[in-house]
Amino acid sequence: MNASRASAAAARQRGVRFAARPAVLLAGLLALAAGPAALRAQEPQAPISLFPPTVTGPAPEEALPPAAGEVPSAPSENAGETLQYEGIEVDRLGELDADALGILGAENGGFGSDAWAGSPRAQVAALLRRLPEDPASPSLRSLITRLLLSSARAPAATPSGTGLTVAEALAAAQGTAVGGSDFLRLRAERLYAMGELAGLNRLLGMVPQRVEDPWLATARVEGLLLAGRDLEACGQVPAGLARYPQTLFWAKAQVYCQFVAEQTDQALLGADLLREQAPDSDPTFFALVDSLVSGTAAAPAGAELSPLNLAMLRRSGGALSLDDVAGAGPLALHGIAALTGGDHAVHVGAVERLVEVGALPGERLAGAYSAFEFTEAELGDALGEAERTSGPRSRGLLFRATQRESLAATRAEILRAAFLSAEADGRANALARAALPLMAELPPTPELAWFAPQAARSLFRIGQFERAGAWLSVLRVDGLKNPESQAAYEALQPLRRLAGGGEPLAAEPEGAAADARLLLLVLSRALGQEEAAWLDLAQGEEAAPRPLPRLASLLALADAAAEGRRGETVLLAATALGAAAPGDSHPLALGYAVSALTAVGLGNEARALAIEAALAAGI
């Protein structure tokens, strides 16, 4: 008995079954390209899988606790949202090795200390540099963030068993890498580019003083400024100025900190010296200095939205426009969201973008909506007002009107208008997260069957599968007498299947075009679920081919997943799919990514990615 349990545990430790290799995958792709006639002509002795191997769980009677090194998948409701870091105990694995620094252990969302096991350092570094700076997928963004913040031994610089050279050993002891940037800096640069401010600040706050890196030091101050923690940021400036006196950033930061300390004369002197040394280096900075001196709010045209300039703009009471939000990078959005001057809709627009991709929690957007000021007349005619306007202010009005409405049917009607507005503006994830407490107060009853499709889609979107299922049940019951409810129920069934429902996909899902049907079948099969044969779809397939981009990355992804290299699998999935939304990816590319994530124990995250793609396809 012990021997069999040990064998089962070993099988779980591997986490994958080696049922498919890249050569077999390529054979499957070529067979598909040859068309349905070739598919019928071939009679292989064994099934050909189009995806990397997926996890085969133990039988119920053999269920074991997670083995050492396994990473628990995040709860479905958190799979597409970046973790909140308050109260997390920092893992101290990196005390002796700066490259291993991280704030997440396996018990609180991290990938475990062996996340990079088996992956060559140079290859991981190259993949990190190729990561999309602003991935549109909340699921992928959350996975990347958790990986970058994980406390894990850095990937080996040399193949296993060859040992380190003297130079490499010395570099490791000093917290640097031979031949390029150190691993800690690479991870921090990616967090910075994605705008993952809270995690970045926690990580950089752990960097030992012995690690001297000008970029890390600058990013530490910029992150604190964007978070509104001016006093902490200014506490770092004297040391930075002493270490890197030739860098203009530190001289400018000192000027700002002198304004913060109400040392106006010293600040003016420092600004005059900077004007003499580099008069054209940063016109926005000098304009903001003048604004701070005069005490007037500033909104310089064409402003450079650096973290320091955004902090100065916040302190001066300055404002930006909605166009500035549209063109801002992820990190700058945090600074815009913290502004107090100007149109509140600008700040809410920044918060909406951050919540949409999971960089901020929904509660933050709910608070921003609640801070809008409306007249009683506007709140009393919220639906009419929303028809005449659009954007963050319109959704804020609908949100506020829902909060104060007591009748369930009226609340549902207002919420439905808000959801439709958010979908039209690409903010459906954001509103779904902000409105979750309001949704919890609406009972799924037959009287609200007309609202059930919108409610279910919004709840599936943020991983609330049980609540979404309750609304589907309303549609199913109401569908016995109402054809519209029955049609809506059938159209939403694919989302329940991707969420783990037991009912297979219909041969022709209600309202789904051929491309959407193919995508659903690919995604469900990639999740390891049995579905109908492919030939029904192949019969009506158009002859025009659809190129499969980044094929080499997909084959590398299959290898990494098959060998259980978790960190590398996440990086390859992200680079293979790119910055675009999952709905814009090739179905087979999505299939590879979903299957690979499942194979390394990230099943809930894989389901979240699959549902994202299905919703984007109009399901």
Side-chain angles (χ1 to χ4, degrees):
M1 182 66 178
N2 289 340
S4 66
R5 287 182 63 84
S7 175
R12 284 191 69 189
Q13 178 68 19
R14 288 192 298 273
V16 295
R17 47 187 174 88
F18 295 88
R21 300 296 293 170
V24 179
L25 295 169
L26 189 55
L29 291 171
L30 293 175
L32 275 183
L39 282 171
R40 287 193 297 271
Q42 295 182 44
E43 294 184 3
Q45 298 302 309
I48 295 177
S49 173
L50 294 176
F51 309 113
T54 52
V55 170
T56 302
E61 63 270 15
E62 297 179 0
L64 300 172
E70 285 192 8
V71 175
S73 192
S76 60
E77 61 269 22
N78 300 128
E81 185 174 24
T82 300
L83 291 173
Q84 301 308 301
Y85 310 108
E86 291 78 4
I88 289 181
E89 292 293 329
V90 174
D91 194 318
R92 306 307 301 187
L93 180 63
E95 285 185 339
L96 298 179
D97 180 6
D99 279 347
L101 280 173
I103 68 172
L104 298 178
E107 70 283 356
N108 51 32
F111 279 64
S113 60
D114 60 346
W116 304 109
S119 300
R121 187 183 187 109
Q123 182 172 317
V124 171
L127 288 172
L128 284 170
R129 294 187 181 98
R130 288 175 54 201
L131 281 176
E133 290 191 355
D134 190 12
S137 165
S139 302
L140 282 179
R141 177 186 286 266
S142 176
L143 275 172
I144 296 168
T145 301
R146 287 167 52 198
L147 177 62
L148 297 177
L149 291 173
S150 291
S151 177
R153 288 180 289 275
T158 56
S160 178
T162 60
L164 294 174
T165 66
V166 172
E168 288 168 340
L170 180 60
Q174 294 173 339
T176 59
V178 174
S181 298
D182 68 275
F183 194 60
L184 170 64
R185 173 169 169 171
L186 274 175
R187 291 188 290 135
E189 286 175 340
R190 294 301 89 201
L191 291 166
Y192 184 100
M194 292 195 304
E196 292 295 336
L197 184 62
L200 176 70
N201 281 340
R202 286 290 301 272
L203 180 66
L204 294 183
M206 297 172 60
V207 176
Q209 290 187 354
R210 60 183 169 82
V211 176
E212 291 197 22
D213 184 295
W215 186 89
L216 289 175
T218 301
R220 170 68 171 151
V221 171
E222 289 183 330
L224 292 171
L225 289 174
L226 287 173
R229 295 156 62 180
D230 289 356
L231 294 180
E232 291 179 68
C234 290
Q236 304 287 320
V237 170
L241 192 60
R243 282 184 173 184
Y244 315 109
Q246 303 304 315
T247 304
L248 282 178
F249 168 80
W250 296 103
K252 292 193 292 184
Q254 184 182 48
V255 168
Y256 174 65
C257 289
Q258 287 168 337
F259 277 117
V260 171
E262 299 182 354
Q263 299 172 350
T264 306
D265 291 342
Q266 294 92 320
L268 285 174
L269 178 60
D272 289 342
L273 290 173
L274 283 169
R275 279 193 174 97
E276 293 176 5
Q277 294 174 5
D280 301 322
S281 60
D282 189 348
T284 302
F285 170 79
F286 292 120
L288 289 168
V289 167
D290 294 339
S291 179
L292 287 169
V293 171
S294 63
T296 58
E304 179 188 344
L305 301 182
S306 69
L308 177 59
N309 288 344
L310 283 167
M312 297 176 73
L313 192 63
R314 165 172 50 80
R315 191 162 191 84
S316 71
L320 293 172
S321 69
L322 281 171
D323 290 339
D324 293 315
V325 175
L331 197 72
L333 289 173
H334 290 277
I336 296 173
L339 296 178
T340 56
D343 187 356
H344 183 57
V346 175
H347 317 148
V348 178
V351 176
E352 279 189 331
R353 274 188 60 188
L354 290 167
V355 176
E356 176 68 21
V357 296
L360 283 178
E363 295 88 344
R364 178 75 178 271
L365 180 56
Y369 284 150
S370 298
F372 273 115
E373 295 183 0
F374 299 107
T375 66
E376 283 297 318
E378 288 174 321
L379 289 168
D381 186 28
L383 289 171
E385 288 287 337
E387 288 180 358
R388 293 186 286 273
T389 59
S390 61
R393 181 176 173 81
S394 173
R395 287 186 285 278
L397 174 60
L398 293 169
F399 189 89
R400 287 280 307 280
T402 304
Q403 285 180 313
R404 74 178 214 157
E405 180 57 56
S406 57
L407 293 177
T410 307
R411 297 190 86 190
E413 186 179 9
I414 299 172
L415 262 182
R416 183 176 180 276
F419 284 137
L420 292 174
S421 169
E423 286 183 1
D425 288 353
R427 298 292 178 262
N429 289 332
L431 185 63
R433 294 196 182 281
L436 183 57
L438 300 178
M439 288 291 296
E441 297 172 1
L442 277 177
T445 60
E447 292 76 19
L448 296 179
W450 55 269
F451 177 63
Q454 196 68 51
R457 282 171 58 86
S458 296
L459 291 166
F460 273 123
R461 193 182 296 279
I462 57 174
Q464 297 286 329
F465 299 153
E466 186 175 347
R467 292 183 181 183
W471 286 100
L472 284 188
S473 297
V474 167
L475 286 173
R476 188 169 194 173
V477 171
D478 194 63
L480 297 175
K481 62 181 188 301
N482 186 342
E484 290 184 3
S485 291
Q486 180 61 26
Y489 172 77
E490 293 175 1
L492 289 167
Q493 269 299 102
L495 295 179
R496 173 178 268 177
R497 178 60 167 163
L498 295 180
E503 186 177 337
L505 293 171
E508 295 186 11
E510 178 72 24
D515 286 349
R517 289 163 55 201
L518 175 62
L519 175 63
L520 290 170
L521 184 56
V522 168
L523 293 173
S524 186
R525 289 287 298 271
L527 288 166
Q529 300 173 163
E530 294 296 329
E531 297 294 351
W534 302 82
L535 280 178
D536 289 341
L537 277 176
Q539 296 289 356
E541 191 172 30
E542 295 182 3
R546 181 177 177 184
L548 179 62
R550 305 184 184 97
L551 180 57
S553 292
L554 294 174
L555 297 178
L557 172 61
D559 269 347
E563 296 172 14
R565 303 196 298 269
R566 289 191 299 272
E568 190 178 336
T569 295
V570 171
L571 295 184
L572 281 164
T575 54
L577 295 180
D584 297 329
S585 297
H586 193 289
L588 279 181
L590 280 165
Y592 268 81
V594 167
S595 185
L597 293 174
T598 305
V600 294
L602 297 167
N604 285 339
E605 292 81 357
R607 289 192 186 279
L609 179 61
I611 289 173
E612 274 185 53
L615 286 165
I619 302 301

